[in-house]
Every structure is written in structure tokens, then in C-alpha cells.
Amino acid sequence: MDFYFSTVKKPVATLRVALRTVYRVFADPTYDVRKKGGFEDSCVALRTTGGRGCVKIEGTEEMSVLPGSLLLFRHNDVRRYYCGDETWDFWWFEFDAGEIPDISLNRVFEISAADSEESDSKACLEYLGKSGAASLALASAYFDLLLHKWLLHFENKISGDPHRAAINQSIDYIKKNISKNLKVKSIANTAGFCERRFRQIFTEVVGMQPKKYIDILRINLSAELLENTSFPVSEISDKLGYSSQFHFSRAFQKMKGMSPSQFRKR
């Protein structure tokens, strides 16, 4: 008798993906979209299949996306995307999910398409366009499979990065001390780097400067508190380490396109 099996002591759940929108775009040089934020706090997976596009994410340098590339980012953070050549063919997936690894956001990855990727993408488009909970759930399930395959490639790609553990440690430190007046120099010390070297490595691994990462983390956490609690704006400002409610409101307005009070009312 022969048999095969796999088992783990601590099984890992999926990201509980909920697919919102799918676009299949064949763009020409007239295609140029500019955004100011203020969207639902969803994520975007941008998968380029042909030509070249250019994408500007808040806090990062403009990025080129070529055939075979994947770019994950938060919808609120995109500022511009446009056709950078004669053509730009791409899939655009907007989705809600559990904890997407921050380290996978705002970075362009080269990923070879699996044999089933095109058909799975088309299934997302088809089932999301149908009515009924079962069809919508099936669209999310197809995208869930696509996303996990992409994230697996990402994990394999960076698993050999000698600085990954140190940067992950610094990210944990940031999250645990988000209510404090965080200084990049002190974060660098916890990771065992001088400040200049830490800034360089953090940007290479995470895709943005440490200060920008902290700003985005604070605003996203504040949005969750505004949406899910009754804490006053002043108290949320204090909890997230802002020097004053004025500075918090100004930072929130800049990133989300509306004031904290407007966001809560919406």
C-alpha cells in the first residue's frame, strides 16, 4: 500500500480576500489617470501583461511596470498611473483582505505567469460581473488563489535576503511603539545599523523611507479607529503619537483627501 500526506501543527488561514473590482485594460498613450486619495481603504494588485506603464505611489519614486511585473499597493496611496509607451496592457484588481504583508507593498516584482493565471484572471472578471452571492464568492476565491501564488513567489524571492530579519524586527518595534515620538535613529539602533545605512536598507526592502512607512501606518491605524470606535479625534491623535490634533488632522487630510471628522461621517 502507498499513500502520501502533508500536515502542519499550526495551520495558516487564507487572507479572507473579498474582490471588489476587476479591470482588463489595453491602454494607449492617451491613458493617464491622476488620483488624490479618498477611496475605500482597499488594496490593488496591478499585473502588467504587455507594453509599459508608469505608477506613482505616495512617498515613493515613480515606478515602471513591464510585462511580467506585479505591483501591490493601497488604493489610497496611488497618485498617478499612465501608459509609458505605445501600449500598456494590464489587469487591475481592487480587493479587501486580511493582513497583507507591509513588506510586499509598493515594490515591483517580476513573476513568471503560471499556465492558469490568464484563465483564473478571466474567471475573476466573469464571476464578479454576475449576480448572486455564490458567483461573487467564486470570483473572490479565484483571486485568493492568484494572490497567494504571487505572495509565495515574493516570500521565496526575499527569503535569502540577509537584512530581512533585521527590517522585520524594526517594523515590529515601530508597531509596538507607534504612540511614541519615533526617531529613525533610535529605530536603526534597535536593528543594529547606523541611521544612514538603515535608511538605505529599509527603503530597499520595504519600498519606501522609514518616515513614510511610519506616516502611512499611523494614518491607516487612525482610519480604523475612526471607523470602528467612538474615540474623539483628539484622543486618537494622542494614541498615535501626534504632537497635536492640528498636526494629525493636517496629515490625515493630505493622505486621505478629507479631514478625520469627514472620514468618520462618511
Side-chain angles (χ1 to χ4, degrees):
M1 180 182 73
D2 292 328
F3 70 95
Y4 306 91
F5 77 99
S6 296
T7 184
V8 293
K9 291 183 178 179
K10 295 182 179 179
V12 176
T14 68
L15 294 170
R16 303 181 303 280
V17 168
L19 188 61
R20 285 177 172 267
T21 305
V22 180
Y23 292 101
R24 180 64 168 121
V25 181
F26 301 93
D28 60 30
T30 64
Y31 187 84
D32 190 342
V33 180
R34 298 172 188 266
K35 304 273 192 180
K36 292 185 178 180
F39 307 104
E40 296 290 338
D41 194 21
S42 57
C43 293
V44 174
L46 177 60
R47 183 67 157 142
T48 297
T49 57
R52 182 174 73 91
C54 298
V55 183
K56 178 67 174 71
I57 306 293
E58 176 73 22
T60 69
E61 297 294 327
E62 186 173 275
M63 293 172 276
S64 289
V65 285
L66 300 172
S69 68
L70 173 72
L71 175 61
L72 298 173
F73 55 89
R74 301 196 184 281
H75 200 185
N76 270 317
D77 296 335
V78 66
R79 292 296 170 262
R80 184 187 181 193
Y81 50 97
Y82 62 95
C83 181
D85 208 334
E86 292 300 315
T87 61
W88 180 29
D89 305 337
F90 63 92
W91 287 92
W92 173 288
F93 302 91
E94 294 175 20
F95 63 98
D96 297 330
E99 189 68 19
I100 294 289
D102 290 330
I103 205 170
S104 67
L105 298 174
N106 305 335
R107 303 177 66 187
V108 177
F109 294 99
E110 302 301 323
I111 302 177
S112 299
D115 293 340
S116 62
E117 182 173 315
E118 184 69 13
S119 61
D120 289 345
S121 298
K122 289 179 179 178
C124 292
L125 182 66
E126 177 186 352
Y127 286 110
L128 197 65
K130 295 182 177 180
S131 60
S135 292
L136 300 183
L138 191 55
S140 293
Y142 271 106
F143 180 71
D144 187 39
L145 181 61
L146 282 170
L147 181 61
H148 278 85
K149 286 181 178 179
W150 292 332
L151 291 176
L152 177 62
H153 178 93
F154 163 76
E155 289 180 359
N156 291 337
K157 185 178 181 65
I158 67 172
S159 60
D161 189 334
H163 302 304
R164 183 190 181 193
I167 296 303
N168 284 344
Q169 179 183 337
S170 70
I171 288 174
D172 288 340
Y173 176 84
I174 290 170
K175 290 180 176 179
K176 290 176 182 177
N177 295 276
I178 197 65
S179 62
K180 300 178 181 178
N181 182 22
L182 290 167
K183 301 293 185 183
V184 175
K185 185 176 181 179
S186 64
I187 302 170
N189 289 338
T190 67
F193 296 103
C194 69
E195 182 178 351
R196 181 178 179 183
R197 180 61 175 155
F198 175 74
R199 288 181 185 274
Q200 178 186 1
I201 293 172
F202 192 96
T203 303
E204 289 174 354
V205 173
V206 179
M208 67 182 76
Q209 287 281 346
K211 174 65 166 57
K212 186 60 187 178
Y213 177 84
I214 295 170
D215 290 343
I216 290 175
L217 179 62
R218 279 185 169 140
I219 293 300
N220 286 336
L221 288 173
S222 69
E224 291 182 14
L225 291 173
L226 287 166
E227 197 167 35
N228 300 313
T229 75
S230 58
F231 292 139
V233 173
S234 58
E235 189 172 345
I236 292 175
S237 172
D238 291 339
K239 285 180 179 292
L240 293 175
Y242 287 93
S243 59
S244 69
Q245 183 178 332
F246 169 77
H247 286 101
F248 165 58
S249 296
R250 186 170 65 176
F252 194 95
Q253 175 83 38
K254 181 179 179 182
M255 194 167 295
K256 295 292 188 181
M258 64 185 75
S259 69
S261 298
Q262 290 171 327
F263 183 88
R264 170 168 274 171
K265 289 177 181 178
R266 186 196 66 169

